[in-house]
Amino acid sequence: MKTRRLSMALLAFAMIASLVLSACQAPAPTPAPAAAAKAAEPTNAPQPTVAPASASSSQSLIFLASQLGPVEEQEKMRNVILKDFTGAEVDFIADANENVILDRILAESKTGKVNGSVVGALHGAFPNLIAANALEDLTPLLEKLKDRPIVKEFLTLGKMGTDKQYYIPWMQATYIMVVNKKALQYLPQGANVDALTYQQLGEWGKNIATATGEKKLGFPAGPTGLMHRLTQGYLYPSYTGGLVTTYRSDDAVKMWTDFKAIWQYANPQSTTYNNMQDPLLSGDVWVALDHTARVVNAFKNQPDDFIAVPAPAGPKGRYYMSVIAGLGIMKGAPNKAGAEALIDYLTQPAQQAATVREVNFYPILDSGLPTDLPPYVKTESDGVLKQARSADAHVALLPVGLGKKGGDFNKIMQDTFTRIVLKDEDIKKVLDDQATQLNALLTELKTPCWSPDPVSTGACQAK
Amino acid sequence: MESSLAISRGAKRAPIAWRHVRDQVGLYGAAILLALWTLAPIYLIALSAFSTKAGVSAWPKSLLPTNFSTDTMQFFINSKGVLQSVGNSVVVALLTIAASLLLGAPGGYALARFRFKGKQTIQLSFLISKMFPTAILSVPLAVTFLQLGLYDTVWGVALIHTAMALPFVILLTAGIFVGVPRDLEEAAQTLGCTRMQAFVRVVLPLALPALAAAAIFTFVISWNEVFAATIITLQHRTLPAQVLSSLNDSPLYYRFAGGFFMIVPALIFIFLIRKYLLNMWGSVVR
Amino acid sequence: MRSKVESALPYGLLAPTLLVVVLLIVVPIFQAFLLAFQGSDGGFTLAQFQKMVHDTAFLDALKFTFLLLIFIVPLQIILALAMALLIHKRFRGHSIFLYIYAIPLAISDLAAGIAWLSIFTERGYLNSILHSLGIIDKPFLFLSYQNLPAVFGTIVIAESWRATAIVMVILLAGLEVIPRDYFEAADVFGATALKRTLFVVLPLLRPSLQNALIIRTIFAFQTFSVVLALAGRVIPVLTGEAYYWYAANRNPNVAAAYAVLVMVFTIFITIMYFRLLKTTDAEAGYD
């Protein structure tokens, strides 16, 4: 009996030991962990002050990105997009939770132990980083890149309302509508799928429900879904022409009334959807509105089943949200020359093309989309282009200047949605409640209005 | 031998054979039903993890492995960071076992062998220390670890896991040492051993197998812990942290493969400690 | 006769553990308490708790946390008791069944959430089974926000599955301690299986039941991965809200307020168990 127990214990430890061995050997052949280990210690070598091209390739560089968190995208970034970069050995660090990266940047900046050199983040995240004095002014770098055809508006955005250039535009994304071809036969009379209105979307959903007995519209209203972005950048501006200033206007009441009607035909499991590609692929949903990166697998895995079309329009036009990501350099970056070279590299047409091809973020260059796109990217980018080129198209931006309170702002949006749509509370009353909270938040932050609300001098307020 | 006992006892009080048969059928029927209930989700996630990408979103789904494929599993395992995170998980868990047994076993021995002032308070405070949600506990810790240079290291994660596992380890080891007859230890002492020698030569060998089981249980605690690991690591992720951090945006088949990959060690670990499950948790009771 | 060294020994043996637990758990708890009572200016305030209480999700989170506790814990006790009593019969092959029943003990809530989502989602395994049996011709929406009882039911099932094992093991260990004579005596007096369970086994199991209840309650208050996977935030729970306030809303103060509330509830319920089950400390093993 005793010997058996002992042999059990031995077996247990042998088991663990073998696990350790196999696990630790496996990653060795790939160069990445070695790079990570090297990157963990900041390099103290003197920085070359000359042109970025002369940066020694032996130096490592940490690139902290709050975007491209999904594993597949991280892989593409490392193995394809960054592959040809010779300016430094890049260790690309991203996380599906954008806050993880932003916290790390802030923490490094605060403690003075700066490991990261290049920072990639969304436009809306920059005010926070600037407030923490974590970023360099990139005006000198921009001077070197002045011949690159970067979209002017994006460069202006990169100044964050100052005279310094805090980021160089990196890539952009948007939200589009994805349609299963099976749904097309149920389009309402006279509706053009490339120029739908929200009202027609509701009728469409109704037609599908009548014919199939299933509610097949879909929205990403899960715990980490981006429903609040659809409220901010699509529904509100399309119906009211603004967001904050018109938060409790009559137009807003009309919008929520219409949206509730649409929602009747939305799959009730929408409250669990964090991305729309899975329900689209499984057939739970036929028509969905979501971020381009969160639907791309639908086009990739079943390229013949789906098309991409512009988001619907409301009475004030076809507003869509453009999500712009920028590249910044950390103050005290251990490899500043390498960082500049990397930003140069990533904004070149070849890498911009690779970015849309591999990870579905669209170029920030005026020169348009590359032609050699794989079919699934082509399908999606068709929708993106159609959306941008619609006659009634207008751009809305992510909230700007909310800093740490961006979460509070989104929460107000989400709560409004939850109370009106899911809990069926009185629209007017909810809007009044939430507008009061919105005003209190923006007064506290003294945040001026951002597009599409008209420019304000003081804090942006709901009327 | 024990099982035949049950049968012979049953036979004694049930002279009619069919009653015995009925009892046995009921017994095994119930046991199998409960086993199916436990195994079904594990079987289904294995099925998902080993089907094609198309199979994952097929309708209606087959309950047999008709779409068998190792593609998604391979994709998951070959994803950057996964194998590395498995390695990190194992290293963290081993460090946690070493630290929590070295620190906790003496404490458990003290609780098992001594009567002393404040014993009850100490035991109760271990219990209370488990009542604060771990996810939030990690928030202030992240700041402290950053200052100490432990942020984003396997050492830091192992340290937190040790603190989390210690209350359990103390209770488990206390139970184990209670189970080692005191007479033997005292006999050794009367024969000239010091307390230390008596412990090392007599108590430890007897307690070793059960301690190994406690070690594996600690392994499980550490292997499954996700929130502290997520909050205080970035590059040096453990497996659950890696899966959680890529959960929302990653396609369904990736998540299924990840879920299955996390369950496999559970099957192995519980198999290894199945004999000691009772001893270990008996301790909490006794 | 004990020397001074001897009487100091237990404290010395416990010191390292206490040090680690104090530094890594007690101090952070204290810091979290500070966060919960701290305003943006660093002074004392109850504003965080006010913000928590007035949050849209707060009342629902409170309600569902307790509802889940009320539904899951008894179900688990019954399931676990059934498993434990079966294993306790030590029939041929019982050790295989013990192994199977104990497996979920080592499965994380993250993995459990993924597994159960594959079963309950619209075109998941359960609907596939029902469909192939001809019971339904269209998928039934178990996870529809419009059908909260169904969503709630799926959570109860998934959580019961995940955490029954630990209760089973504790109860089984408790059963092992009860002398077999008791069972046999009950048999002699012709008690039915049900009566025997109710009047002989359960009272004797009281200390184990109490431990199982306490451990389960602590865990039940803290798990939310399964809930998040199956219900999103349609069924909010307190710890989930705490995490959400921290991770998504970037507000550690309100998150800490939620955490403090969870701790207070857990302590309160634990005291209640002690009172209700009236186990002496000696029986429970806290002497």
Side-chain angles (χ1 to χ4, degrees):
Chain A
M1 190 69 196
K2 205 172 131 191
T3 47
R4 231 173 78 202
R5 285 193 170 198
L6 267 172
S7 64
M8 262 292 299
L10 282 175
L11 185 70
F13 281 113
M15 204 27 246
I16 296 171
S18 66
L19 256 174
V20 183
L21 287 176
S22 63
C24 293
Q25 273 164 2
T30 58
K38 213 183 284 174
E41 286 172 32
T43 46
N44 293 319
Q47 306 295 321
T49 47
V50 277
S54 72
S56 94
S57 64
S58 62
Q59 262 196 316
S60 61
L61 178 156
I62 294 185
F63 178 4
L64 295 166
S66 73
Q67 296 301 295
L68 308 181
V71 197
E72 280 181 287
E73 294 180 11
Q74 291 192 29
E75 297 281 273
K76 296 289 191 195
M77 193 68 188
R78 293 190 186 99
N79 301 336
V80 185
I81 301 171
L82 290 170
K83 195 185 64 178
D84 298 329
F85 181 60
T86 53
E89 206 172 308
V90 179
D91 189 19
F92 179 73
I93 301 175
D95 193 280
N97 180 356
E98 132 178 82
N99 291 320
V100 170
I101 301 290
L102 297 177
D103 278 353
R104 156 116 179 222
I105 297 168
L106 291 174
E108 284 189 4
S109 174
K110 198 168 150 193
T111 55
K113 290 178 188 159
V114 178
N115 288 326
S117 291
V118 175
V119 169
L122 292 183
H123 174 80
F126 275 88
N128 207 4
L129 302 179
I130 293 165
N133 198 22
L135 298 176
E136 292 273 1
D137 176 12
L138 301 183
T139 312
L141 174 61
L142 186 64
E143 191 57 32
K144 289 176 199 155
L145 302 175
K146 63 176 184 291
D147 294 333
R148 200 144 295 168
I150 298 173
V151 177
K152 285 278 172 299
E153 290 93 314
F154 293 170
L155 279 176
T156 312
L157 286 172
K159 291 188 185 304
M160 306 304 301
T162 66
D163 55 353
K164 292 179 178 162
Q165 191 74 35
Y166 282 110
Y167 71 75
I168 305 288
W170 172 21
M171 54 190 194
Q172 58 162 328
T174 184
Y175 298 69
I176 49 163
M177 204 149 82
V178 183
V179 175
N180 189 318
K181 286 178 186 166
K182 285 183 211 153
L184 291 174
Q185 55 182 310
Y186 304 112
L187 267 176
Q189 281 281 309
N192 172 5
V193 74
D194 287 334
L196 286 174
T197 65
Y198 282 102
Q199 205 157 7
Q200 286 170 330
L201 179 64
E203 286 167 37
W204 195 8
K206 186 180 178 186
N207 291 350
I208 297 173
T210 316
T212 68
E214 288 179 47
K215 300 170 175 184
K216 285 193 175 289
L217 304 185
F219 296 93
T224 53
L226 296 171
M227 185 66 215
H228 53 283
R229 295 289 181 231
L230 299 179
T231 320
Q232 290 162 10
Y234 288 75
L235 289 163
Y236 251 105
S238 296
Y239 270 84
T240 71
L243 172 60
V244 175
T245 52
T246 54
Y247 203 77
R248 54 180 154 192
S249 61
D250 292 343
D251 287 340
V253 176
K254 163 85 173 132
M255 181 274 279
W256 285 112
T257 313
D258 279 13
F259 186 66
K260 267 177 90 167
I262 297 172
W263 183 265
Q264 281 194 299
Y265 304 105
N267 190 317
Q269 228 182 271
S270 287
T271 46
T272 64
Y273 297 151
N274 295 322
N275 66 58
M276 294 312 299
Q277 58 200 7
D278 291 329
L280 280 166
L281 280 169
S282 66
D284 294 357
V285 165
W286 279 356
V287 181
L289 199 53
D290 202 357
H291 192 287
T292 43
R294 293 184 178 208
V295 289
V296 65
N297 267 299
F299 300 113
K300 201 188 267 179
N301 293 2
Q302 295 172 21
D304 300 331
D305 293 357
F306 300 102
I307 56 168
V309 299
K316 296 280 157 65
R318 193 178 309 275
Y319 274 87
Y320 69 97
M321 189 173 254
S322 184
V323 181
I324 294 158
L327 297 163
I329 296 181
M330 286 192 72
K331 274 219 170 97
N335 189 352
K336 192 171 174 226
E340 292 195 341
L342 181 63
I343 293 178
D344 176 7
Y345 172 82
L346 285 172
T347 50
Q348 285 165 11
Q351 274 60 249
Q352 289 278 306
T355 305
V356 65
R357 202 172 55 233
E358 304 295 340
V359 295
N360 272 76
F361 271 90
Y362 290 85
I364 42 78
L365 300 179
D366 261 336
S367 38
L369 289 172
T371 47
D372 60 333
L373 294 174
Y376 71 88
V377 182
K378 180 96 176 48
T379 316
E380 192 177 64
S381 59
D382 278 352
V384 173
L385 283 179
K386 272 186 213 160
Q387 178 164 283
R389 290 174 187 163
S390 297
D392 50 354
H394 302 285
V395 177
L397 280 181
L398 286 172
V400 179
L402 298 174
K404 269 207 153 55
K405 301 281 181 173
D408 289 31
F409 183 82
N410 291 341
K411 184 168 166 49
I412 293 172
M413 297 286 143
Q414 284 293 44
D415 286 350
T416 311
F417 166 79
T418 305
R419 291 178 63 182
I420 293 177
V421 180
L422 301 183
K423 298 190 162 186
D424 215 16
E425 291 183 40
D426 180 65
I427 297 177
K428 191 73 200 153
K429 185 183 172 299
V430 173
L431 289 182
D432 274 337
D433 280 3
Q434 300 291 325
T436 313
Q437 289 188 33
L438 201 56
N439 285 347
L441 176 72
L442 294 170
T443 308
E444 182 194 333
L445 296 173
K446 302 187 184 68
T447 310
C449 292
W450 63 90
S451 154
D453 282 313
V455 180
S456 69
T457 45
C460 200
Q461 295 284 294
K463 283 177 196 132
Chain B
M1 52 168 184
E2 286 140 326
S3 48
S4 62
L5 211 142
I7 291 170
S8 65
R9 211 194 310 133
K12 227 187 288 167
R13 68 177 150 80
I16 310 163
W18 64 261
R19 189 173 155 191
H20 171 72
V21 171
R22 190 196 64 187
D23 282 358
Q24 289 294 307
V25 167
L27 186 68
Y28 279 95
I32 290 170
L33 210 65
L34 286 168
L36 285 178
W37 150 253
T38 313
L39 290 177
I42 297 170
Y43 170 71
L44 293 175
I45 194 159
L47 200 61
S48 301
F50 287 101
S51 61
T52 55
K53 287 183 185 183
V56 167
S57 47
W59 166 257
K61 289 181 179 32
S62 165
L63 289 181
L64 299 169
T66 45
N67 278 318
F68 185 84
S69 149
T70 54
D71 286 359
T72 54
M73 210 59 208
Q74 275 173 1
F75 170 77
F76 174 80
I77 292 172
N78 292 331
S79 294
K80 152 108 190 186
V82 167
L83 278 179
Q84 201 193 346
S85 71
V86 172
N88 287 337
S89 271
V90 174
V91 171
V92 165
L94 289 178
L95 288 174
T96 307
I97 291 175
S100 51
L101 278 186
L102 280 177
L103 293 170
Y109 181 77
L111 290 181
R113 281 288 190 268
F114 297 91
R115 285 186 167 275
F116 54 93
K117 236 185 183 165
K119 184 173 168 180
Q120 208 179 341
T121 320
I122 289 173
Q123 273 175 309
L124 217 56
S125 51
F126 283 140
L127 199 63
I128 291 173
S129 77
K130 300 301 297 173
M131 292 183 183
F132 198 84
T134 319
I136 305 306
L137 205 59
S138 322
V139 177
L141 273 177
V143 181
T144 315
F145 275 30
L146 207 63
Q147 287 158 350
L148 295 175
L150 284 171
Y151 183 81
D152 198 19
T153 62
V154 286
W155 298 99
V157 184
L159 204 55
I160 291 194
H161 286 182
T162 302
M164 288 168 59
L166 265 177
F168 284 120
V169 170
I170 289 249
L171 293 177
L172 292 181
T173 50
I176 291 163
F177 289 126
V178 165
V180 176
R182 198 177 198 143
D183 316 356
L184 287 176
E185 201 180 344
E186 278 164 3
Q189 274 177 284
T190 47
L191 289 175
C193 285
T194 60
R195 198 177 249 286
M196 188 65 190
Q197 284 169 325
F199 177 78
V200 173
R201 300 217 181 123
V202 180
V203 182
L204 211 53
L206 286 174
L208 209 54
L211 284 176
I216 295 175
F217 193 75
T218 311
F219 199 110
V220 170
I221 293 179
S222 168
W223 179 268
N224 284 337
E225 198 288 323
V226 57
F227 293 106
T230 311
I231 290 176
I232 68 160
T233 62
L234 201 52
Q235 281 164 282
H236 300 95
R237 289 252 186 258
T238 61
L239 180 66
Q242 176 74 21
V243 171
L244 184 74
S245 75
S246 51
L247 205 58
N248 299 316
D249 300 337
S250 299
L252 208 53
Y253 51 82
Y254 175 91
R255 282 183 267 167
F256 286 148
F260 178 71
F261 204 76
M262 282 191 287
I263 287 177
V264 175
L267 300 176
I268 299 168
F269 293 148
I270 294 294
F271 183 76
L272 290 177
I273 59 171
R274 69 195 189 287
K275 285 250 155 62
Y276 302 99
L277 282 171
L278 300 185
N279 293 348
M280 276 165 38
W281 287 98
S283 70
V284 183
V285 181
R286 253 171 273 146
Chain C
M1 199 192 84
R2 288 187 179 184
S3 66
K4 267 189 181 161
V5 181
E6 184 81 337
S7 62
L9 192 57
Y11 300 106
L13 292 172
L14 276 165
T17 301
L18 284 175
L19 190 73
V20 171
V21 171
V22 165
L23 282 181
L24 289 165
I25 297 187
V26 179
V27 171
I29 289 180
F30 185 69
Q31 286 172 316
F33 265 81
L34 281 184
L35 275 178
F37 290 103
Q38 219 168 43
S40 47
D41 56 348
F44 174 86
T45 174
L46 286 174
Q48 315 300 352
F49 284 91
Q50 280 164 358
K51 202 163 181 182
M52 172 182 84
V53 172
H54 291 124
D55 183 30
T56 324
F58 177 75
L59 284 178
D60 276 345
L62 202 63
K63 181 178 85 183
F64 283 120
T65 303
F66 280 94
L67 273 179
L68 282 173
L69 208 64
I70 291 166
F71 275 82
I72 292 172
V73 173
L75 194 65
Q76 277 181 337
I77 300 279
I78 292 168
L79 266 177
L81 201 60
M83 288 175 178
L85 285 171
L86 276 174
I87 300 291
H88 190 63
K89 282 199 182 293
R90 302 220 175 236
F91 55 90
R92 190 179 293 275
H94 72 275
S95 62
I96 300 169
F97 285 98
L98 172 58
Y99 165 57
I100 293 173
Y101 297 161
I103 289 173
L105 193 65
I107 291 179
S108 66
D109 47 353
L110 188 63
I114 296 172
W116 283 97
L117 181 67
S118 79
I119 293 172
F120 284 123
T121 192
E122 186 169 350
R123 279 167 175 74
Y125 287 109
L126 183 54
N127 273 325
S128 293
I129 295 171
L130 294 178
H131 182 85
S132 59
L133 292 177
I135 297 171
I136 52 168
D137 55 342
K138 267 192 211 44
F140 178 81
L141 288 171
F142 294 99
L143 304 180
S144 157
Y145 81 98
Q146 290 163 328
N147 193 351
L148 280 188
V151 187
F152 187 83
T154 63
I155 296 173
V156 170
I157 290 171
E159 273 291 287
S160 302
W161 176 81
R162 193 184 65 82
T164 296
I166 195 166
V167 182
M168 185 268 297
V169 170
I170 296 173
L171 292 186
L172 188 51
L175 280 177
E176 296 291 308
V177 188
I178 301 173
R180 294 224 167 230
D181 310 357
Y182 281 87
F183 293 89
E184 279 161 17
D187 280 345
V188 170
F189 289 115
T192 63
L194 183 70
K195 271 189 182 159
R196 196 178 60 196
T197 310
L198 283 180
F199 298 115
V200 181
V201 179
L202 276 185
L204 288 168
L205 264 183
R206 220 174 46 205
S208 326
L209 273 174
Q210 180 188 291
N211 282 310
L213 280 171
I214 292 172
I215 288 182
R216 260 317 292 149
T217 306
I218 293 176
F219 288 162
F221 265 113
Q222 293 187 19
T223 51
F224 60 94
S225 296
V226 172
V227 181
L228 212 59
L230 292 175
R233 292 186 67 230
V234 170
I235 292 191
V237 289
L238 290 173
T239 307
E241 288 305 300
Y243 185 70
Y244 202 79
W245 271 95
Y246 172 70
N249 297 347
R250 317 285 300 127
N251 193 327
N253 302 83
V254 178
Y258 267 105
V260 167
L261 190 70
V262 167
M263 189 175 187
V264 169
F265 279 140
T266 315
I267 292 176
F268 179 76
I269 290 177
T270 306
I271 293 172
M272 218 174 67
Y273 287 147
F274 277 120
R275 288 273 157 83
L276 282 181
L277 291 164
K278 288 206 190 82
T279 314
T280 61
D281 286 337
E283 273 180 293
Y286 293 113
D287 70 334

